[in-house]
Amino acid sequence: MRAPFAAALAAATAVALAFLVLPVAAIFFRVPPGDLIGALGHGVTRDALLVSLKTSAIAHACVLLVGTPAAYVLARRRFRGRALVLSLVELPLVLPPAVAGIALLAAFGRVGLLGGTLDAVGIQIPFTQAAVVLAVAFVESPFYVRGAIAAFEGVDATLLDAARTLGAAPGRVFARVALPLAAGGLAAASALALARGLGEFGATIIFAGSLQGVTQTLPLAIYAQFEQNFDTALAISGLFIVVGAVLLVALKLYPWFRFASIFRSRFAISTSS
Amino acid sequence: MRRLAAAAALVALALPAAGAAGAPLTVLAAASLTSVLPRIDGGERYSFAGSDQLALQIRQGEPADVYAAASPKYTELLYRDGLLRKPVVFATNRLIVLVPKSNPAHIKSVYDLRRPRVKIVVGDSTVPIGIYTRQILDALGITADVTKNVVSEETDVKGIVSKVALGEADAGFVYRTDAKPVASATRTIPLPAWAQPPIRYELAVVKASKHRAAAAAFIRKVLSKRGRLLLARAGFGVPKAR
């Protein structure tokens, strides 16, 4: 009785793995690694890569800067309506990106809610890199904030209380105790959010449009190229897989780095004393 | 085994039935014909998609009786390769400039698009609408000035139409027939006839069709006086009757 069940489990796992791995592997069957590097020199790809790196970096910096303290507050404080706030933060996670794009247009578009006000002070967001940054930040922030809240919730509260009773100011407790203890979870959330932001497509094409060298990010370039230049589209796709794999492997390796660094610091203390 | 035999019998029954007179034809047609072809003949099975995609389906031997494409490029190539009977032109289209109803940039002619800071949306150079747009700009001699104002290169005509209809862009280059559904939110500015690139729609009987007589009758219906009237009403140009 046990053997058939084990066989079924193994078969299900094999099917799941094959289904997930086959399409990804198929890309590399069609793109030799040499072409992958060659495609990076291609004008469209290079421009898209630069736009993607720049907008993702800015968006990600904003998300980390604002999202980390916000997540700290949401993780530590218990207040009325906290569940509602948490749901609002996670809402973009369950929205189709196209809805995010429409929502951003409705808010920041020229005829949108804030469009008139922004226009009056000479700011027009649609079709600019600022629009790409907004779209990326909107879509990736819940990935980070969600993970960061979990990371801060995982920090032992008695340690924070101890720091405070020893006279540390709240800012110092956050920076010297909570942040280092939550670092692993924050890094994981950050990497996931970054990867999601790099892949952003729907909100960007609706809110920011697509113009080579300005608003055309890598995913938009794939879409524009695949009708005519399937090889370039394949090469950019391959690039994404490599970047994604590097991020995931880095996450898996992170505990090891941490362990090694703790080990080293202990060792250093013991030799110095 | 018995079930298999029953299925085979069903298929055998169905096959001659499809060949009988009055059975619906399979018509593969360009997406821009979505609303007009069923109005001309509502009794057929239509598959609307990009002309290039449909051409690929015909090459791969998918069963079809008629092919109607948005560009002669696809029909002529299939005809050369012996997959279609001789194609005929049945409709033409024109490019226009679409502006939001409020016309925030005060565009009165295509030459106003040269003014600085007008926000223009065009098709990407990889799609037909983008190729045609570049052709007409070249013919008008305003490529450089207009290109400076392009804020987005969309991968399909829907992206251009929606960005103009929403009022985010000041102007966009689209087909005349695309303007009809958004007439309440937009205005159209005609482009000079002398600068228009030829945008021709062709249709042909698929050689592998089992209903070639019915397919030819369908084409005659599209080319008929009524068919031409309906095409014209949808905003298409119709070639002179032969």
Side-chain angles (χ1 to χ4, degrees):
Chain A
M1 205 56 218
R2 210 179 265 172
F5 181 63
L9 281 185
T13 313
V15 168
L17 260 181
F19 176 66
L20 293 176
V21 170
L22 189 68
V24 173
I27 282 187
F28 289 102
F29 273 114
R30 297 197 48 169
V31 197
D35 290 13
L36 193 74
I37 293 153
L40 296 185
H42 194 272
V44 176
T45 319
R46 201 191 47 231
D47 284 355
L49 186 63
L50 289 177
V51 170
S52 266
L53 287 179
K54 187 179 165 194
T55 53
S56 285
I58 297 173
H60 198 60
C62 296
V63 167
L64 293 186
L65 216 63
V66 178
T68 311
Y72 183 60
V73 170
L74 289 173
R76 303 244 58 96
R77 294 277 158 81
R78 293 290 178 273
F79 53 89
R80 252 168 191 275
R82 180 172 177 271
L84 180 72
V85 173
L86 289 181
S87 308
L88 284 177
V89 166
E90 288 179 6
L91 191 58
L93 207 67
V94 294
L95 289 180
V99 174
I102 304 267
L104 286 168
L105 263 185
F108 302 107
R110 193 152 68 161
V111 289
L113 209 57
L114 302 177
T117 322
L118 290 170
D119 210 24
V121 292
I123 299 173
Q124 291 194 345
I125 293 176
F127 306 124
T128 63
Q129 278 192 344
V132 183
V133 171
L134 280 180
V136 170
F138 187 80
V139 170
E140 76 154 71
S141 55
F143 283 84
Y144 177 68
V145 174
R146 217 171 159 232
I149 290 174
F152 282 125
E153 278 175 345
V155 173
D156 188 353
T158 54
L159 291 176
L160 302 181
D161 293 338
R164 212 167 304 142
T165 51
L166 290 173
R172 204 174 145 82
V173 175
F174 171 68
R176 301 301 298 271
V177 184
L179 264 190
L181 286 174
L186 292 179
S190 167
L192 263 184
L194 185 67
R196 178 63 188 84
L198 273 174
E200 213 311 296
F201 174 79
T204 310
I205 201 160
I206 287 180
F207 183 48
S210 169
L211 189 63
Q212 188 183 340
V214 182
T215 52
Q216 190 176 71
T217 57
L218 282 173
L220 301 192
I222 292 180
Y223 193 62
Q225 290 296 312
F226 104 100
E227 305 190 31
Q228 202 162 56
N229 233 328
F230 195 56
D231 286 345
T232 310
L234 274 171
I236 306 176
S237 306
L239 177 70
F240 262 105
I241 293 169
V242 171
V243 170
V246 166
L247 274 174
L248 282 179
V249 170
L251 276 181
K252 293 274 181 291
L253 288 180
Y254 181 79
W256 284 101
F257 286 132
R258 225 168 111 71
F259 176 74
S261 73
I262 290 169
F263 181 76
R264 261 201 310 277
S265 62
R266 293 248 167 92
F267 187 67
I269 291 164
S270 67
T271 49
S272 67
S273 59
Chain B
M1 199 58 213
R2 194 177 295 164
R3 205 180 286 169
L4 204 68
L10 263 178
V11 169
L13 273 173
L15 276 179
L25 298 167
T26 301
V27 179
L28 307 185
S32 43
L33 300 164
T34 303
S35 58
V36 68
L37 279 189
R39 233 175 275 159
I40 295 173
D41 184 344
E44 318 299 351
R45 295 196 317 127
Y46 291 101
S47 170
F48 294 106
S51 302
D52 52 339
Q53 204 181 322
L54 297 172
L56 197 72
Q57 290 177 359
I58 291 173
R59 274 188 195 286
Q60 287 172 344
E62 256 181 61
D65 304 305
V66 178
Y67 174 47
S71 161
K73 184 169 95 185
Y74 307 107
T75 42
E76 296 300 331
L77 207 59
L78 288 174
Y79 171 59
R80 290 277 169 82
D81 295 344
L83 294 161
L84 293 180
R85 284 204 182 163
K86 181 117 187 79
V88 288
V89 178
F90 69 99
T92 61
N93 216 336
R94 287 171 145 260
L95 290 180
I96 51 140
V97 172
L98 194 70
V99 300
K101 186 121 231 169
S102 60
N103 199 356
H106 310 290
I107 308 294
K108 295 205 174 57
S109 95
V110 66
Y111 295 102
D112 292 338
L113 298 178
R114 292 177 299 168
R115 287 201 308 252
R117 287 185 303 280
V118 176
K119 291 188 172 146
I120 303 170
V121 182
V122 298
D124 195 85
S125 60
T126 52
V127 291
I129 182 68
I131 297 166
Y132 290 137
T133 300
R134 281 159 183 80
Q135 284 174 1
I136 203 165
L137 289 175
D138 265 350
L140 291 164
I142 56 174
T143 305
D145 288 333
V146 170
T147 305
K148 251 184 281 166
N149 287 337
V150 168
V151 292
S152 187
E153 293 176 337
E154 300 289 322
T155 40
D156 61 43
V157 79
K158 282 189 298 276
I160 310 172
V161 171
S162 62
K163 284 191 171 71
V164 173
L166 281 170
E168 295 300 339
D170 294 325
F173 285 81
V174 298
Y175 299 117
R176 202 176 110 143
T177 47
D178 295 314
K180 293 251 163 172
V182 290
S184 61
T186 57
R187 292 179 206 195
T188 63
I189 286 155
L191 288 162
W194 60 265
Q196 292 277 350
I199 304 171
R200 285 195 287 262
Y201 289 67
E202 289 197 340
L203 84 177
V205 176
V206 177
K207 266 221 176 132
S209 163
K210 291 195 180 67
H211 325 292
R212 276 188 265 179
F218 173 83
I219 291 178
R220 279 197 299 277
K221 210 184 262 181
V222 175
L223 295 171
S224 72
K225 206 170 168 192
R226 183 176 159 274
R228 291 153 51 83
L229 185 75
L230 288 168
L231 279 164
R233 215 176 270 168
F236 289 96
V238 282
K240 288 192 184 79
R242 289 163 310 147

